[in-house]
């Protein structure tokens, strides 16, 4: 049996072979293996230069300055650093934070932790397409609001938020910095840190054909962003994030981002066509509801709820043929229905019986057709076993 | 979610899925779809013998997770030739172990048991 | 000109080619690239299995149980998680921590931060060989001491501490958990988490021919260790460290540790001989003072102070021929004299004019001879330029 | 620490390192070894001309960082043929720029300047 078609690129992506090659150059004795903090010798200096070149490349890929890039172990760390780092630093000014119900857990869970520590957090509700209205944000801001954390591209449904509008609202308020979780953005949608108006932005490499375990937090110089560090030690990353910088990891992120940004315009068109082909095929099976509106979502993500079928069984039934997920990868182990889809107004059953298709660089029309066929077969079998809608419950 | 070989097999084959019809058929239902688990057994019953009603064949329907479907399918498969008694062919706890059902899913197996009891109770009333 | 001989293995090591190969298997589309948290499909399950196999291998290499391993982005994160995690959790019981002046910054800086937050910290002084006396630890413990953080192998001078004795003192105290920074230990000295009696232990891969950017914190089950998490999100690592686990990184750590542990007995003998050859050669140049005693230090580290020469110039003068460091890599950029050597009683000049030679798997007798020659040439040239001891200052 | 090409060259070649001897030699010293920087210039002075004493040749000794050594060596090299005036062949600030000395090391260049001034003052007194 051939392995299933991989359609879970929103959970993680395979590393591009060119990226893997760049990483391999920074590992072994014949490569650039020195400690970038070892300033006293050529082995260290060579590593330092790779790290700084990577910083420049990451910055260039997302419209930031190199000095604005703080490397982290991923977007989870970047989100935590942004939220706790700003909250601690701005503590004397106020202890109110605004976010949305559809954020990633890497934002929501730090916010919950802030609440436990005495901060107040407002969780904005999205509309039924997953969009957070700038008006609602404006209404939620208070004199003591110090941080707004709203994502760019939602990881479950692919909704793209109007970051510039959020930034304008924060700018008018004056005291609240906007943090944007852009873990899903690079390569999927145009991203320009400076143009966005955000004060802080989280990035992750492994959603864009880079390695897992590396990301970055961008800190806007124009906004004069100041944060408290959370990890103390050798003083790396200008003291904002101590710990040996993993050369191969940041080099991998830089290479992946450069490739993803270059490929994006063509990919967006190609994937949008594949996504619509997929949707039409799924729709034809009946009882399929699209989550999020195509005009608001990235081409790489399609999220569909299926009526008259149980979610876990649906996933298990398609798993031998296609690798997809229900909810986000981080939470799918827990088995609870997606809180994101619930926030969009789906009932518990439909939220649970949803599949997220994450298209990627390798995705072909054949892959899409296989997905349509696999879901079709699973739906008809499970609906038959479940007695379908015909038999009352 | 990782499934045991047995769970995977019964989930995929799902033997005895379906319904039965006829005057000698009884049914039992438990659970609710909106809550995520719903199971129905149809049993074709032989005229009462000395040892009580006997099951000639069984079918099931199940809306639920793979464990629910697999266990319901296995129960229906085992049923033929057995007395229509309230006891499952194997107690719930033994089923949980043999299908390696995580303990937090125990409630779903109880839905299977409830559907089975409802069906066998209907048989007893025949 | 051939590149300088690498003698800075205590700062970082090249990744073993076998380790790099194992990592490469977990990157690209033909490898195990799935998200280990994607429990719903075979791509995710395959990654999960690699991660759990790596956890078991790391545990086996250091005498721990797999369930005791929490993967982190390195020893800096592990140290921070241990110190803040225990301090926060034990806060109701007491707010006193004991550590030593010769700890790594990844321990000292979190302790300073605790002080800023109102905790009290006792910094034990080592003897002139770098050893912390268990008696001094016993004397420093108070009723409200909740944590003792003392390292196993010192990164600058290589001193091996008597962890079991520290553990016994903590055990008698009853309320204080022992955290051990063992970032330098694997492959250099025998390490057995359970036998050591430590409650928590930090590990790093890149000091043992594994990749940078990955480490682990061990939490003893026997001690019933509980900590507060610091990074919130997807709930990975049993909720103690959220963030996508980087499969290739933990696989690399596991492979590196297995190789290092297997090679250790023979390497320790081989390197001890090289180290003594190196010391004899340096000693012959005159004005060389050995930091730490050979019987207390790992074979892989030799730290020497040189009289009548300025530290930065010494390093610069040898740099074209050998890559070594003054002080630890993490701090060598700062240019301040090593606080570790100062704690051992060296004056500022001698602390500054010290070189740390870090021997490693690839180090040969020729490398050692090159180091002896390079240092000899640098010393005589700089002492001549500096006017030597002959001319009064 | 990364050094500019100029710094590296003068640190490595260290032209004019050493001392001079003789009745026509003056010396100037500044700094203290225990504080990390010490510099000495020896200047061989030509009989006073109209424009004041002239430097025939110069040597330096330096205990200090590579920047200190490089700058002292450069100053000594430039000295020959110049008047023995208190001004360095280039002002400290210009030296800092051309050798790319980090600003926090300015104090060390001032030690070089002090040693130079001491030596040229001694020359003036001759
Ligand atoms: C929107 C979003 N934020 C944060 C994260 C966490 O990123 P990482 O896996 O790099 O920790 C993810 C992915 O898991 C994500 O999709
Ligand atoms: C003793 C010690 N602790 C902690 C660290 C930090 O480890 P990492 O580089 O993995 O963050 C190091 C190395 O830099 C070390 O030598």
């Amino acid at each position: 049996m051939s392995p299933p078609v991989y359609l879970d690129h929103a959970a993680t992506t395979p590393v591009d072979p060119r990226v893997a090659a760049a990483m391999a150059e920074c590992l072994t004795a014949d490569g650039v293996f020195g400690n970038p903090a070892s300033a006293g010798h050529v082995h260290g200096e060579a590593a330092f230069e790779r790290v700084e070149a990577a910083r420049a490349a990451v910055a260039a890929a997302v419209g930031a300055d190199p000095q604005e890039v703080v490397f982290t172990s991923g977007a989870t760390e970047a989100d935590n650093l942004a939220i706790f780092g700003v909250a601690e630093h701005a503590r004397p000014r106020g202890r109110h934070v605004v976010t949305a119900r559809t954020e990633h857990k890497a934002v929501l869970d730090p916010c919950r932790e802030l609440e436990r520590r005495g901060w107040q957090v407002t969780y904005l509700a999205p509309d039924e397409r997953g969009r957070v209205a700038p008006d609602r944000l404006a209404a939620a801001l208070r004199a003591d609001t110090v941080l707004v954390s709203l994502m760019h591209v939602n990881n479950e449904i692919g909704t793209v938020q109007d970051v510039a509008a959020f930034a304008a609202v924060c700018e008018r308020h004056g005291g609240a910095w906007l943090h944007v979780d852009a873990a899903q953005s690079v390569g999927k949608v145009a991203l320009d840190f400076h143009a966005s108006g955000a004060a802080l932005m989280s990035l992750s490499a492994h959603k864009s054909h880079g390695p897992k375990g590396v990301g970055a937090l961008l800190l806007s110089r124009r906004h004069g962003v100041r944060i408290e560090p959370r990890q103390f030690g050798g003083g790396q990353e200008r003291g904002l994030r101590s710990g040996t910088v993993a050369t191969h990891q940041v080099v991998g992120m830089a290479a992946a981002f450069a490739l993803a940004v270059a490929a994006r315009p063509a990919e967006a068109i190609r994937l949008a066509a594949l996504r619509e082909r997929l949707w039409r095929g799924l729709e034809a099976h009946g009882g399929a509801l699209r989550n999020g509106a195509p005009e608001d979502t990235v081409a790489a993500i399609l999220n569909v709820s299926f009526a008259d079928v149980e979610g876990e069984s649906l996933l298990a039934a398609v798993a031998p043929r296609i690798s997809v997920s229900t909810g986000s990868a981080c939470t799918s182990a827990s088995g609870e229905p997606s809180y994101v889809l619930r926030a969009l107004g789906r009932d518990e059953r439909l939220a649970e019986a949803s599949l997220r298709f994450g298209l990627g660089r390798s995705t072909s029309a054949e892959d899409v057709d296989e997905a349509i066929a696999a879901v079709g077969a699973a739906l008809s079998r499970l609906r038959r076993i479940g007695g379908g809608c015909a038999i009352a419950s | 979610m990782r499934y045991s070989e047995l769970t995977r097999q019964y989930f995929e084959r799902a033997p005895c899925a379906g319904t039965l019809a006829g005057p000698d058929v009884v049914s039992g239902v438990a659970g609710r779809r909106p809550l995520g688990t719903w199971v129905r057994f149809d049993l074709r019953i032989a005229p009462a013998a000395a040892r009580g009603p006997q099951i000639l064949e069984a079918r099931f329907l199940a809306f639920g997770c793979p464990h629910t479907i697999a266990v319901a399918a296995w129960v229906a498969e085992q049923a033929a030739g057995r007395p229509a008694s309230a006891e499952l062919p194997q107690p719930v706890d033994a089923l949980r172990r043999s299908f390696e059902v995580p303990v937090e899913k125990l409630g779903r197996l109880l839905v299977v048991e409830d559907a089975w009891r409802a069906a066998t109770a209907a048989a007893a009333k025949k």
Side-chain angles (χ1 to χ4, degrees), chain A residues 310 312-313 349 381 385-386 393, chain B residues 3 12 33-34 62 64 66 105:
Chain A
E310 193 271 350
E312 190 187 329
S313 281
R349 284 284 73 66
R381 197 173 76 86
I385 293 174
S393 60
Chain B
Y3 305 101
E12 274 165 19
R33 286 163 189 273
K105 282 189 169 184

Side-chain angles (χ1 to χ4, degrees), chain A residues 28-55:
Chain A
T28 49
D30 52 355
V32 182
F33 69 84
N35 188 327
S38 296
H41 52 66
V42 300
H43 288 93
E45 274 180 24
F48 175 83
E49 275 160 23
R50 289 283 172 114
V51 167
E52 294 313 310
R55 195 186 307 281

Side-chain angles (χ1 to χ4, degrees), chain A residues 108-160:
Chain A
L108 291 180
D109 287 359
C111 286
R112 294 267 179 240
E113 176 66 19
L114 280 183
E115 287 185 285
R116 269 191 292 276
R117 299 185 196 169
W119 267 261
Q120 292 187 312
V121 179
T122 301
Y123 298 89
L124 299 174
D127 67 14
E128 75 296 340
R129 285 156 68 167
R131 294 170 310 180
V132 173
D135 285 0
R136 291 223 182 164
L137 169 60
L141 292 180
R142 313 190 318 205
D144 61 344
T145 310
V146 293
L147 180 69
V148 173
S149 185
L150 292 169
M151 74 202 312
H152 187 207
V153 175
N154 184 276
N155 50 302
E156 289 197 37
I157 47 180
T159 310
V160 185

